[in-house]
């Protein structure tokens, strides 16, 4: 396979996973409490740390996390939770992408 095709498939797969996870997480409507928002932010932060450790943190992840923190500061807990869950979904997708790409390089080596 050509490197561009492989990368395109990996990125497409990762983005689809992130979008699906975000829809599942945000799709459940409930009145978020301060504790719910704090928990969502804490789990997103932990997953973002893992992604950063793999040198594969996406900029949309950081953006969503910043929006979650801003909403939390404004006491908008539902918005904070939704943005934190989106950040977590993106972080998990970037972790999956990094793990997948760790092995895909072998397909690039001429035999």
């Amino acid at each position: 396979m050509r490197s561009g095709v492989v990368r395109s498939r990996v990125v497409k797969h990762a983005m689809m996973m992130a979008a699906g996870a975000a829809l599942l997480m945000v799709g459940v409507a409930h009145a978020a409490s301060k504790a719910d928002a704090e928990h969502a932010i804490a789990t997103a932060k932990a997953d973002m740390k893992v992604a950063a450790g793999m040198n594969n943190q996406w900029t949309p992840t950081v953006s969503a996390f910043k929006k979650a923190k801003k909403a939390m500061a404004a006491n908008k807990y539902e918005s904070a939770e939704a943005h934190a869950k989106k950040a977590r979904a993106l972080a998990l997708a970037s972790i999956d992408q990094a793990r997948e790409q760790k092995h895909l390089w072998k397909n690039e080596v001429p035999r």
Side-chain angles (χ1 to χ4, degrees):
M1 283 189 160
R2 300 178 77 188
S3 64
V5 173
V6 172
R7 275 190 217 105
S8 175
R9 286 183 182 168
V10 169
V11 171
K12 185 177 180 181
H13 175 71
M15 291 303 291
M16 287 175 54
M17 288 179 54
L23 285 175
L24 285 174
M25 291 178 183
V26 176
V28 179
H30 72 284
S33 68
K34 183 177 181 179
D36 293 334
E38 287 173 341
H39 177 71
I41 288 172
T43 55
K45 185 175 183 179
D47 290 329
M48 288 174 62
K49 188 173 182 179
V50 173
M54 300 174 94
N55 293 322
N56 200 40
Q57 189 170 53
W58 298 344
T59 54
T61 309
V62 176
S63 176
F65 188 75
K66 286 180 181 178
K67 288 178 183 176
K69 296 288 278 183
K70 187 176 181 179
M72 187 71 177
N75 296 326
K76 296 180 180 177
Y77 303 128
E78 287 186 39
S79 179
E81 184 182 31
H83 286 297
K85 286 182 176 184
K86 181 179 179 183
R88 181 171 189 236
L90 290 168
L92 291 173
S94 68
I95 292 167
D96 288 342
Q97 180 189 32
R99 288 181 179 149
E100 206 171 310
Q101 287 180 346
K102 184 177 179 181
H103 301 288
L104 285 177
W105 70 268
K106 296 173 187 173
N107 294 335
E108 306 281 330
V109 177
R111 297 173 197 218

